[in-house]
Amino acid sequence: MRSIKRTPFLLVFVLSIILISQVFASGTNEEAYIKIGSSSDDMQAVMKAHSLIIKNINQNLESYFKEADKYYNYYTEQFTQESQRISTMNPELWETDAQLEERKVEELEQLSDKINKEYQQKIYDLADPYQNEFEVLYEQLEINEENLGKPKYIDIPPGEDIEYDTYLRNERLWPIKLSISNKLIPKTSITIVVDFLAPNHTEDAVRSAIIEFDESRRKEALSARVGWHIVPDHTYPDYLTTIVKRYLIVVDSIHMLKDEKILYARILDTPIILHSFMVDEDLNFEPIKIDDSSSGITSYTTRENIKHDLRSRNAPVLLTDSSGYISHIDEENRMIGNFPTALLTPSAGNVVFRISNGAEPESLDPALIQGVPEHRIFEALFEGLVAIDPATALAVPGVAESWEVNEDGTQYTFTLREDAVWSDGVAITADDVVYSWLRLLDPATAGPYAWFPCMFLQGATEFNAGEAGPEAVGIRALDERTFQMDLIGPLPYAIDALTHYSFSIVPKHAIEEFGDKWTSPENFVGNGPFVLTERIPQTSLTATKSDTYWDKENVALDKVIFYSSDSDTTNYNMYLNGEIDWATNVPNDQLSAAQMRSDFQSSPQLSTYYYVFQNEVAPFDNPDVRRALSLAIDREALVEGVTRAGQIPAWGIVPPMAGYDALEFPHDNMDDMIAEAQDLLARAGYPNGAGFPTSTILYNTNEGHRQIAEFLQQEWKDNLGINVVLENQEWQTYLANRNEGNFEIARAGWVGDYQDPNTFLDMFITGAGMNGGRYENEIYDLLINEAARMPAGEDRFGVLKTAEDIMINKDMGIMPFYYYVAINMIDTDKWGGWHPNTMDYHPVKDIYLK
């Protein structure tokens, strides 16, 4: 089938995006906040205004493209119908076959031009109403973005020091000018990040310098000297008034010393402000101006050129571009002699641990989360009846200090700790547990993981489906410290499953007081080892050690910062630059280099990477099509040529574990796999891919996911003759569309919630919350439910294996690719309490600085 010419469409969509991306539509309160916040001196207000603008942009984009899609679908259907009519035209009496074909081509071109013109006009008409709002928004956006780029002021009361963590730089908050009348930070807490990529250095020389530096650092034999000078910062309040003078102490050089000999030196191309102060009548101070071109030191005379040179980093002292590398020892020693010096040693104050946590968390409410980034934050802020052992990833006592189970394994009774309290000091009771679990199960909550407790608790399915009231759920508070639950069967993995956030405990009193704002830092109440103290949207989340946590004496970290970024490359570079302490992934193109490092951590993980078919949408409603697509992928080539981290090719969804073998591939070579795939596709009505519609692969924004999707795109084109296009979406949008089934083929990954095959299988029963592909098989459902009521052992595993075989080998309801290997970057010589484990769970409660 011919398709409408897409070139005019592309032009229309580009113009529409330019227009609509700057459209603003919001309520009166938001409009007022944006106008005030955008021009505020408070950076947090500026950032909130910016977030509101972006939110409304996204809402309008979504609304606009929904309308535009309706037009596109309508005119595509019109073109399809008319083109089919043209393709079936019979020749006139005077026409030869060649003339008929020529007439068909001509009419198709005329039809395409006509429909394109009508479509373009509709799109332009659709965009017109947004024009006035666009002009308002564009003006406001310019104000906001201009203000984001200005230096901002942090005012610290005289005699007080600014905390080191407050000084940490962030791209959305800086450049920033510090206005204080006392010292900025103690010199003992200055962090030094060394860049060894100096020019004219051979690879061996750079390697030797790194090794020597690292050995010296480990032996604590390194010291450093900081060169600084004072420069005037002339601020002009307006063109007619007198200049107001401000002076800045600026770091512009750093020298690494070993036994008082210079090991490494750098003049900073990016100066760092350590101190800023005003000159008043009480301060008789004559500023020192250094303008020594021979030493490479730059003297700044205006605020503007300082502002342009400031950069956003996570360390007060950053050795940046190597163009200022000094090659002569005599010159280095001469320059050092010009400046006051200080010995820099690690701070003995707050211990801060920084994590690259992946995408912006969808939510902080345990009832509304469903991803790995959210899970890491959950482990810091909340604790359920049980917690996680960092070495084994199995359950250990949490809020519950102990529990008992009845003879048939269907009822558990938990005793809560006397000293378990919320972060505001309110006692945690068994009623809190009942409230929390019922809140998740309540259909009104719409929790994406509400299906999970339904696989365990008696009556939970009926309540969640709206077929019964909350009293039907088999949970109860026997007294303030005693909680009891009834299971649907003797589930051998029940206690370990309780580590999952769907079994979390949340503060009823805070939720009732603050509603959906209860997870904001100013309102937050939790019961974990850390308390939420700051959240910067799309950037970071900060959690500070809790003073009320029952086991606070064994929490070694003072603060944990979770950075949000979809870019593995950015995150990895931040790790290499010393800006984060734990990187949770490595970009594929850096794996070879990373694997050579001692801080590279790799271990088998109980998780599977797979794609989901939308089983209710043609042509993916045909099992033959789904199986053909799966057979046509060379998984060995995928893990060896693309992912390259030791992943294990997979045909089934359940990774191998004790007593349970992974599903075997249907053929032992790719030639036979491809041959069967081609036969199945032809049987489905698409020989050699003829007539197969162009389909879309949906994945969340990430370089690795994109590379995998591109590999599949090429495999299907080469082996089956079909075409697919790729679509990436940010994390929250992707999750919503995948859960709601708004896709044709979607990327997915599953990390086991407990160490049992059931954790990979129960989410595909009919109607399950995570079953976005709408897979259905009555026998599969019966087998999963039967296994839930069986005791642990070989027979139960046999039932589960039969169910997996049906879903994969009979129905191909999903398409697995490989079993994960957990990849992390963390220096375990520096940080203790971090252990590789099959679940890739690493609670920050247990991490400590050695």
Side-chain angles (χ1 to χ4, degrees), residues 165 168 350-354 557-561 581 831:
D165 301 299
L168 294 182
N350 287 351
V351 178
V352 180
F353 187 70
R354 302 158 300 170
L557 301 178
D558 295 292
K559 192 171 291 187
V560 181
I561 303 175
D581 303 298
W831 298 102

Side-chain angles (χ1 to χ4, degrees), residues 275-351:
H275 185 64
S276 171
F277 53 90
M278 300 291 292
V279 175
D280 56 31
E281 295 178 357
D282 298 328
L283 183 63
N284 183 16
F285 180 81
E286 185 65 26
I288 301 171
K289 282 190 66 174
I290 296 179
D291 190 4
D292 186 351
S293 58
S294 66
S295 67
I297 295 174
T298 305
S299 177
Y300 296 99
T301 57
T302 69
R303 177 173 62 184
E304 284 303 308
N305 56 23
I306 290 177
K307 180 182 74 174
H308 288 316
D309 284 339
L310 285 174
R311 293 184 60 187
S312 302
R313 291 293 176 180
N314 256 4
V317 177
L318 176 74
L319 305 188
T320 58
D321 189 301
S322 58
S323 59
Y325 181 78
I326 305 170
S327 57
H328 301 292
I329 294 295
D330 290 342
E331 175 65 15
E332 292 169 355
N333 285 322
R334 188 196 66 76
M335 194 186 76
I336 287 179
N338 290 335
F339 305 112
T341 62
L343 180 66
L344 303 185
T345 57
S347 172
N350 287 351
V351 178

Side-chain angles (χ1 to χ4, degrees), residues 457-493:
L457 302 175
Q458 286 188 13
T461 299
E462 291 76 9
F463 173 49
N464 183 244
E467 300 169 356
E471 67 280 355
V473 183
I475 57 175
R476 63 198 65 87
L478 301 183
D479 57 43
E480 284 196 351
R481 293 186 54 223
T482 310
F483 170 80
Q484 193 172 73
M485 69 176 185
D486 299 330
L487 304 180
I488 62 174
L491 308 177
Y493 44 83

Side-chain angles (χ1 to χ4, degrees), residues 829-845:
D829 289 333
K830 177 180 179 181
W831 298 102
W834 192 101
H835 304 275
N837 59 65
T838 187
M839 303 293 286
D840 199 27
Y841 287 170
H842 310 283
V844 289
K845 167 190 173 179

Side-chain angles (χ1 to χ4, degrees), residues 146-168:
E146 180 182 359
N147 207 27
L148 279 177
K150 290 180 179 178
K152 300 298 168 186
Y153 294 85
I154 296 178
D155 292 315
I156 305 298
E160 295 186 14
D161 292 344
I162 184 172
E163 288 188 7
Y164 172 65
D165 301 299
T166 307
Y167 185 69
L168 294 182

Side-chain angles (χ1 to χ4, degrees), residues 488-553:
I488 62 174
L491 308 177
Y493 44 83
I495 290 297
D496 290 329
L498 294 185
T499 62
H500 193 266
Y501 40 76
S502 59
F503 290 105
S504 65
I505 309 173
V506 294
K508 178 181 179 181
H509 61 290
I511 295 172
E512 290 179 343
E513 181 177 357
F514 299 111
D516 59 3
K517 303 296 184 184
W518 76 274
T519 57
S520 299
E522 63 272 17
N523 304 328
F524 182 80
V525 175
N527 70 330
F530 297 88
V531 178
L532 177 66
T533 52
E534 182 184 44
R535 185 177 186 185
I536 304 173
Q538 305 298 326
T539 301
S540 65
L541 179 149
T542 301
T544 305
K545 181 177 177 179
S546 172
D547 292 330
T548 62
Y549 180 58
W550 65 270
D551 197 26
K552 65 180 180 181
E553 299 303 323

Side-chain angles (χ1 to χ4, degrees), residues 533-672:
T533 52
E534 182 184 44
R535 185 177 186 185
I536 304 173
Q538 305 298 326
T539 301
S540 65
L541 179 149
T542 301
T544 305
K545 181 177 177 179
S546 172
D547 292 330
T548 62
Y549 180 58
W550 65 270
D551 197 26
K552 65 180 180 181
E553 299 303 323
N554 290 314
V555 178
L557 301 178
D558 295 292
K559 192 171 291 187
V560 181
I561 303 175
F562 299 88
Y563 290 100
S564 300
S565 170
D566 289 316
S567 172
D568 287 340
T569 299
T570 297
N571 297 336
Y572 184 62
N573 287 336
M574 288 178 67
Y575 179 82
L576 295 181
N577 289 337
E579 299 170 39
I580 56 176
D581 303 298
W582 173 20
T584 55
N585 205 352
V586 175
N588 290 337
D589 59 358
Q590 296 291 327
L591 271 172
S592 296
Q595 288 168 340
M596 301 296 290
R597 296 172 56 102
S598 61
D599 50 358
F600 177 79
Q601 313 293 339
S602 175
S603 61
Q605 186 180 7
L606 192 70
S607 57
T608 305
Y609 193 102
Y610 62 100
Y611 272 16
V612 183
F613 296 112
Q614 181 43 269
N615 283 244
E616 294 181 342
V617 174
F620 308 106
D621 56 349
N622 186 336
D624 285 345
V625 169
R626 299 195 297 263
R627 185 173 174 86
L629 292 174
S630 185
L631 285 164
I633 301 300
D634 187 342
R635 290 158 174 81
E636 289 281 356
L638 174 64
V639 300
E640 292 177 4
V642 180
T643 60
R644 297 182 298 172
Q647 293 90 347
I648 303 170
W651 181 252
I653 185 68
V654 182
M657 59 184 73
Y660 193 97
D661 296 327
L663 282 183
E664 295 182 356
F665 282 84
H667 303 286
D668 58 8
N669 65 82
M670 275 308 299
D671 289 341
D672 291 344

